């Protein structure tokens, strides 16, 4: 396995994944670069039993968490201003529109990111990969060694958790 071809093939995926965690392009690029440096150092320990992208994402996630601890970052920042959504297939547009519209609102965005920061796995990662990483369900399922149906259900459940949390926050706000 050649690290150069792995870099060429997977850098964008790793960058988008880290960008979904950090929402800062500069930090995401730095973490993605560091991910490939770490991968190069431990390439001989990769046994090929898992998808290489899952292995890289694990390195990237751990590298990002180390960065956050080092920089004393405890909550995910708001979305970067330049974030744009791509066109979705007709049947998914309505499903994601509610969440995307909520992310556009600054106050709600912070609440959602704070909730995402504390959300349990695999829901947190599936949601991030789908919404921020723009990965199809098939790829998300592959990363976890599961089916695309499992990825759909996990995404749906994560979305429901976010909705319930936001409804509770809205109810609490109205009580004041």
């Amino acid at each position: 396995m050649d690290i150069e071809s792995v870099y060429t093939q997977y850098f964008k995926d790793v960058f988008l994944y880290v960008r979904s965690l950090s929402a800062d392009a500069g930090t995401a690029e730095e973490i993605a670069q560091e991910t490939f440096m770490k991968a190069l150092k431990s390439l001989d320990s990769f046994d090929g039993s898992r998808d290489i992208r899952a292995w890289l994402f694990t390195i990237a996630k751990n590298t990002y968490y180390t960065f956050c601890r080092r920089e004393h970052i405890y909550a995910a920042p708001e979305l970067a201003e330049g974030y744009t959504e791509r066109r979705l297939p007709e049947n998914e547009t309505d499903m994601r529109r509610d969440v995307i519209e909520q992310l556009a609102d600054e106050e709600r965005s912070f609440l959602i990111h704070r909730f995402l920061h504390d959300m349990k796995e695999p829901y947190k990662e599936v949601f991030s990969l789908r919404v921020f990483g723009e990965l199809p369900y098939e790829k998300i399922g592959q990363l976890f060694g599961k089916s695309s149906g499992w990825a759909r259900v996990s995404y749906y459940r994560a979305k429901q958790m976010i909705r319930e949390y936001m409804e509770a926050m809205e109810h609490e706000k109205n009580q004041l």
Side-chain angles (χ1 to χ4, degrees):
M1 182 170 11
D2 175 27
I3 192 69
E4 189 174 321
S5 63
V6 170
Y7 179 88
T8 303
Q9 188 173 357
Y10 296 109
F11 180 81
K12 183 178 179 183
D13 292 337
V14 171
F15 171 78
L16 289 173
Y17 174 67
V18 176
R19 179 74 191 258
S20 75
L21 298 172
S22 71
D24 176 60
T27 301
E29 187 168 352
E30 186 178 318
I31 299 296
Q33 292 287 348
E34 192 173 336
T35 296
F36 282 95
M37 291 300 295
K38 288 180 178 181
L40 175 62
K41 290 178 184 175
S42 60
L43 192 58
D44 57 333
S45 69
F46 180 69
D47 63 4
S49 65
R50 292 182 14 190
D51 180 20
I52 192 160
R53 188 182 345 218
W55 181 64
L56 291 169
F57 281 9
T58 301
I59 295 170
K61 179 173 62 172
N62 292 335
T63 303
Y64 176 70
Y65 289 161
T66 300
F67 169 81
C68 288
R69 281 191 300 276
R70 187 174 61 234
E71 298 296 319
H72 304 290
I73 299 171
Y74 298 106
E78 298 171 23
L79 282 177
E81 285 183 25
Y83 183 83
T84 59
E85 68 180 89
R86 65 178 172 84
R87 270 186 82 75
L88 300 170
E90 290 287 322
N91 61 346
E92 288 186 28
T93 303
D94 291 337
M95 284 178 44
R96 288 183 48 200
R97 182 174 293 139
D98 294 343
V99 175
I100 299 291
E101 286 174 357
Q102 286 181 342
L103 287 173
D105 178 21
E106 192 173 308
E107 182 180 339
R108 286 183 173 187
S109 175
F110 179 74
L111 290 173
I112 290 171
H113 280 289
R114 188 170 68 187
F115 182 76
L116 275 173
H117 182 74
D118 296 328
M119 186 182 273
K120 292 184 171 141
E121 295 294 351
Y123 304 109
K124 175 183 180 175
E125 192 163 357
V126 169
F127 184 84
S128 294
L129 289 170
R130 183 71 183 147
V131 173
F132 302 116
E134 300 180 349
L135 289 180
Y137 294 117
E138 293 76 23
K139 294 286 185 192
I140 295 170
Q142 285 177 0
L143 288 173
F144 285 90
K146 308 276 186 180
S147 68
S148 62
W150 175 88
R152 287 180 205 282
V153 169
S154 297
Y155 172 74
Y156 176 79
R157 288 178 181 165
K159 192 172 69 168
Q160 286 302 108
M161 288 180 216
I162 293 169
R163 275 199 185 124
E164 290 169 8
Y165 171 76
M166 293 306 292
E167 287 171 4
M169 295 303 289
E170 193 67 33
H171 179 72
E172 187 177 299
K173 184 178 173 183
N174 289 337
Q175 294 294 324
L176 299 174

